[in-house]
Amino acid sequence: MSAGPSYPVRVEGSLDPGLSRWMWLVKWLLAIPHYIVLAFLWVAFFLLSIVALVAIVATGRYPRAIFDFNVGVLRWTWRVSFYALGALGTDRYPPFTLAQAPDYPASLDVRYPERLSRGLALVKWWLLAIPHYLVVGMLTGGGTWVAWQGDRWSLAWGGGLIGLLVVIAVVALLFTGRYPRGIFDFVLGLDRWVLRVTGYAALMTDEYPPFRLDQGETEETATAREIDEAAPTAESGLPAVAAPGAKTGWSGGRIALLAVGSLVGLVSLGVLAGGIASLVIDKTQRDDGFVTTPTEVFATPTYALVSETAEIEGPDWAWRDLVGTVRIHARTDSPIFLGIGPASDVEGYLAGVGHDKVEDYRDDPDEYERRPGGAPDAAPGEQGFWAASAEGQGEVNLDWDPTDGLWTLVVMNADGSRFVDATLSAGAELDALRWLGWALVGVGALLALLAGALIYGSLPKRRG
């Protein structure tokens, strides 16, 4: 294979000659401590990438401290992937560090860009990278799962090409004691492709990832001219690629502080999203003072439609002040009855009566559980156990003030006949929704400021 231009994201890995036949079966378990740490680090990676995006658009530069940290996360991730699932190319346990580990068989580095395009930063990570995302999706896939299909269980593979090749390689290792070199070189090329795209999407370079498969343990040697171009310049005084083992300035304390700040930032985003969603719902989903769900059509050839049992518990003031009155709205062409009653009384009234129970309104309102039976002995409106009821034709509203207990909603024709058909929606006053929204926005803003202070305090300070 002819030498191509060196890409700024450099990924290498050396296959251990004496791999254990059996150790690959438990490496994923041994790597769990790394997965836990990386979960926190990737949260920080995501949030700091947003900060870097803003900095690039404003200044044309990727903040060096953030760049070093994000490269360290990619480096750490590659070492764990090389050990556990992405290649299984070594039995040596990965070190817990963001810095280069010169004696470890897997390495990753990214050439620091002195300048980045402000315009590309806005589009390359989502628009320009789409062709590569399609390729990466096929390479990485989504794992293996077991699914129930009709009357049997089936095993489905979704681990992508990399996962499939690694499985083939370790099965060969199990029976022959050798990891096939051809598969290893091919897997390294695929891993290299994925990590190049990751570096590009993380805004670390403006150079578009090549559509080529650079196989083998090491990348092709750059030409002398490329080495000269990568040398330090008088203006920057910084090497294009960090020397192996060079310190990044990210001590354990700084990483811990950054992880805490990133988690606080993630929580702040969730709280802010909840507050904004509450305000939007309060503004757009109210109908006659009630926050209302979308309408759904419910129909059954039996004598009644029955909801799942709702358990109401808690102090009355909470339901009165936070939830308020609940309204069930029905639209129908024939006289209809709506009633909410104690679950035990409803069950007694409908014992032996053919009806459908709505199993899960939120996921699938058309999923019913059929209860066979005949017609009711009396019309629903003649029963005295209803806590709230309404009857009519056209637009019908049932208003109910929730109290403690087990309750069931029943929809029937007013005369108790078969073939119930109605369009229903549910709503509640939720007077506190607006105040809750503003409170969440305020708390989210405070948490965001705290997260910003923690993250800023964790960044290594570059002297000079």
Side-chain angles (χ1 to χ4, degrees):
M1 181 172 58
S2 61
S6 61
Y7 191 71
V9 180
R10 190 173 186 84
V11 180
E12 298 183 343
S14 299
L15 179 63
D16 280 355
L19 287 175
S20 166
R21 294 182 181 225
W22 301 97
M23 193 172 179
W24 61 271
L25 293 170
V26 296
K27 284 181 181 178
W28 64 271
L29 182 63
L30 299 177
I32 286 178
H34 279 283
Y35 296 144
I36 295 173
V37 176
L38 284 172
F40 290 96
L41 294 181
W42 273 98
V43 171
F45 183 100
F46 172 75
L47 294 178
L48 289 178
S49 295
I50 297 176
V51 176
L53 172 62
V54 175
I56 294 170
V57 173
T59 68
R61 290 180 176 271
Y62 201 122
R64 187 59 188 260
I66 296 178
F67 182 87
D68 290 341
F69 175 83
N70 284 354
V71 171
V73 174
L74 289 180
R75 183 180 294 133
W76 193 329
T77 302
W78 167 232
R79 287 194 296 250
V80 175
S81 177
F82 187 81
Y83 169 80
L85 299 176
L88 291 170
T90 182
D91 290 339
R92 294 182 56 191
Y93 199 70
F96 286 82
T97 178
L98 296 173
Q100 284 279 35
D103 59 341
Y104 196 75
S107 65
L108 180 148
D109 217 333
V110 184
R111 188 163 62 240
Y112 179 72
E114 293 299 329
R115 302 292 299 180
L116 288 169
S117 168
R118 303 181 184 188
L120 280 177
L122 296 173
V123 296
K124 63 184 180 182
W125 56 274
W126 66 275
L127 179 61
L128 301 183
I130 287 177
H132 277 289
Y133 290 155
L134 297 177
V135 175
V136 168
M138 291 186 291
L139 298 182
T140 58
T144 305
W145 65 90
V146 177
W148 176 260
Q149 294 182 344
D151 57 350
R152 61 186 177 86
W153 292 99
S154 63
L155 181 68
W157 172 264
L161 182 58
I162 293 176
L164 179 61
L165 291 173
V166 170
V167 168
I168 294 173
V170 294
V171 169
L173 173 67
L174 178 63
F175 288 100
T176 68
R178 291 179 56 255
Y179 193 123
R181 169 61 67 172
I183 293 180
F184 178 80
D185 290 343
F186 190 53
V187 166
L188 258 290
L190 299 178
D191 286 328
R192 188 171 287 125
W193 192 319
V194 172
L195 289 166
R196 285 173 174 175
V197 174
T198 303
Y200 178 77
L203 312 177
M204 294 178 176
T205 179
D206 283 343
E207 188 174 334
Y208 199 71
F211 281 92
R212 69 170 187 263
L213 189 62
D214 294 334
Q215 302 184 49
E217 294 183 341
T218 61
E219 300 209 26
E220 292 294 328
T221 303
T223 63
R225 177 181 176 184
E226 289 168 339
I227 294 175
D228 292 339
E229 290 174 351
T233 63
E235 294 181 4
S236 66
L238 295 172
V241 181
K247 294 183 178 180
T248 63
W250 285 97
S251 63
R254 290 188 181 277
I255 293 174
L257 187 61
L258 176 61
V260 172
S262 300
L263 286 177
V264 173
L266 194 63
V267 172
S268 73
L269 292 178
V271 174
L272 283 170
I276 293 173
S278 298
L279 294 174
V280 170
I281 291 173
D282 180 76
K283 190 70 174 178
T284 62
Q285 299 300 310
R286 284 198 177 275
D287 182 15
D288 195 22
F290 290 83
V291 178
T292 306
T293 66
T295 59
E296 293 284 352
V297 176
F298 294 85
T300 175
T302 64
Y303 295 92
L305 278 168
V306 181
S307 72
E308 290 185 300
T309 300
E311 182 177 2
I312 304 297
E313 59 181 355
D316 291 340
W317 66 266
W319 292 100
R320 181 181 64 251
D321 298 336
L322 299 180
V323 177
T325 300
V326 172
R327 168 171 289 183
I328 307 298
H329 175 78
R331 187 170 66 249
T332 179
D333 295 331
S334 58
I336 199 171
F337 172 87
L338 305 175
I340 293 179
S344 57
D345 292 332
V346 171
E347 185 176 354
Y349 171 59
L350 294 178
V353 176
H355 63 276
D356 278 343
K357 182 178 181 181
V358 180
E359 284 293 292
D360 196 335
Y361 167 75
R362 288 165 295 185
D363 291 340
D364 187 358
D366 295 328
E367 183 178 342
Y368 299 155
E369 179 184 344
R370 179 65 51 84
R371 305 289 177 86
D377 295 333
E382 298 176 9
Q383 310 305 309
F385 57 77
W386 303 111
S389 62
E391 193 172 318
Q393 185 174 350
E395 305 284 340
V396 182
N397 289 324
L398 165 63
D399 291 342
W400 174 57
D401 294 322
T403 57
D404 283 358
L406 298 174
W407 304 96
T408 302
L409 169 67
V410 178
V411 182
M412 301 178 66
N413 290 326
D415 59 0
S417 60
R418 297 180 61 182
F419 300 106
V420 181
D421 187 354
T423 301
L424 303 176
S425 63
E429 289 181 319
L430 298 179
D431 291 334
L433 186 62
R434 182 179 307 173
W435 305 109
L436 175 64
W438 284 115
L440 290 176
V441 168
V443 172
L446 291 176
L447 289 175
L449 291 175
L450 175 60
L454 292 173
I455 292 174
Y456 179 78
S458 72
L459 299 178
K461 307 301 184 292
R462 303 188 67 83
R463 296 182 178 179

